Amino acid sequence: MNLLLLSDEDFLPDGTARLTGRRAQHAREVLRAEAGELLRVGRLGGLVGTGEVLENTEGLLHLRVTLTDPPPTRAGVDLLLAIPRPKALKKVLPAVASLGVDRVVLVNAARVEKSYFDSKVLAPAFVQELLLQGLEQARDTCPPEVLVRERFRPFVEDELDALFGREPLRLLPHPPAHQPLATTGVATAPRVVLAIGPDGGWVPFEAQLLEAHGFHPFTLGPRILRVETAVPVLLGQVALLRENISPPTDR
């Protein structure tokens, strides 16, 4: 936990904040914060700054909060993600929050087990907790919006354009493709939507429907990756290309 996230309910009328539960326990048992020390804090959806410890007792952390700085810049990326295995989703959601994704649409697909939609991982409180873990890691305060859609074709045909708009570059990582990511125009795109399939990949009908709605297929190379690996790899490659970072040269 690199940042203590504060919600509106944590603040008292005098502007100080009282924390209980996991956050207070972390400050006491891990940080061992004492009165007068400054801790990194952020207001959910708002600024980041410091919290001066006024009291740190069993189960209670009292802070004088000063918020001065904006959170990290957004990645400018949305995800259309075939819902992965619940164990994988528990890794993916903190990762996308850490990496500054704005919106995640978890969608059904032919190779998605229907039981995944009954998983407790999709419970709103569980999703929120996973997103907060990612924000705490990255010192961010703005979680992605997470939507769930159980019908693939109606979503793509009826909702996709209205939800994402027509401005973002739509990209489809798809093993049969030959075009590398670097040639898709992602380096200059202000916004990107990535459509990432399940571990078994999109079936031909799904890939064709996405292409018909403006998604450009590309390849990540000869290795086939699981979703929990592919998501951070793809987000990292997009960030690298858009920032135009060159590898160091030998001297």
Side-chain angles (χ1 to χ4, degrees), residues 9 28 41 43 49 96 122 126 164 213 228:
E9 292 75 17
R28 182 172 178 81
V41 301
R43 189 164 190 161
V96 298
L122 287 180
F126 205 119
F164 293 123
H213 284 78
E228 60 265 39

Side-chain angles (χ1 to χ4, degrees), residues 23 41 111 128 135 180 185 220 238 246 251:
R23 296 167 301 168
V41 301
R111 291 176 174 146
Q128 179 74 356
L135 296 180
L220 275 174
V238 168
S246 301
R251 294 184 181 274

Side-chain angles (χ1 to χ4, degrees), residues 7-251:
S7 65
D8 292 343
E9 292 75 17
D10 294 321
F11 285 87
L12 301 176
D14 64 1
T16 63
R18 286 180 179 267
L19 283 67
T20 59
R22 179 176 63 89
R23 296 167 301 168
Q25 182 180 7
H26 180 82
R28 182 172 178 81
E29 298 180 2
V30 179
L31 301 180
R32 301 185 184 278
E34 298 181 355
E37 290 188 29
L38 296 179
L39 304 179
R40 288 186 293 265
V41 301
R43 189 164 190 161
L44 190 61
L47 299 175
V48 298
T50 58
E52 180 187 353
V53 178
L54 301 177
E55 180 184 1
N56 187 12
T57 58
E58 187 71 31
L60 175 65
L61 177 65
H62 190 194
L63 301 172
R64 180 182 292 114
V65 177
T66 303
L67 302 173
T68 56
D69 300 318
T73 55
R74 310 304 299 163
V77 177
D78 295 324
L79 292 183
L80 175 60
L81 180 64
I83 186 169
R85 296 168 293 113
K87 286 185 178 181
L89 187 58
K90 290 170 68 175
K91 300 176 182 178
V92 169
L93 288 177
V96 298
S98 292
L99 294 167
V101 170
D102 289 313
R103 180 185 291 121
V104 182
V105 180
L106 298 170
V107 69
N108 202 356
R111 291 176 174 146
V112 167
E113 295 287 341
K114 301 302 182 280
S115 62
Y116 292 176
F117 287 93
D118 297 324
S119 170
K120 67 177 183 179
V121 180
L122 287 180
F126 205 119
V127 170
Q128 179 74 356
E129 180 62 27
L130 293 172
L131 297 177
L132 293 181
Q133 290 175 17
L135 296 180
E136 291 168 346
Q137 175 64 37
R139 299 184 189 174
D140 197 355
T141 63
C142 300
E145 178 185 18
V146 178
L147 304 174
V148 180
R149 296 293 184 267
E150 295 191 39
R151 301 175 65 197
F152 174 81
R153 183 172 182 173
F155 171 76
V156 174
E157 293 182 340
D158 302 333
E159 291 189 66
L160 189 146
D161 287 343
L163 186 63
F164 293 123
R166 294 189 174 274
E167 177 188 354
L169 176 65
R170 300 179 180 184
L171 296 176
L172 175 64
H174 195 47
H178 299 287
Q179 182 183 17
L181 177 60
T183 64
T184 62
V186 67
T188 57
R191 290 202 61 81
V192 174
V193 180
L194 286 167
I196 302 175
D199 284 340
W202 302 109
V203 299
F205 165 76
E206 293 165 343
Q208 291 164 11
L209 186 62
L210 289 169
E211 289 186 53
H213 284 78
F215 282 85
H216 305 281
F218 68 92
T219 179
L220 275 174
R223 299 181 185 274
I224 306 299
L225 306 177
R226 285 190 177 273
V227 172
E228 60 265 39
T229 304
V231 168
V233 166
L234 282 163
L235 293 173
Q237 289 196 6
V238 168
L240 186 69
L241 289 167
R242 292 167 82 184
E243 293 176 10
N244 195 28
I245 298 175
S246 301
T249 58
D250 296 332
R251 294 184 181 274

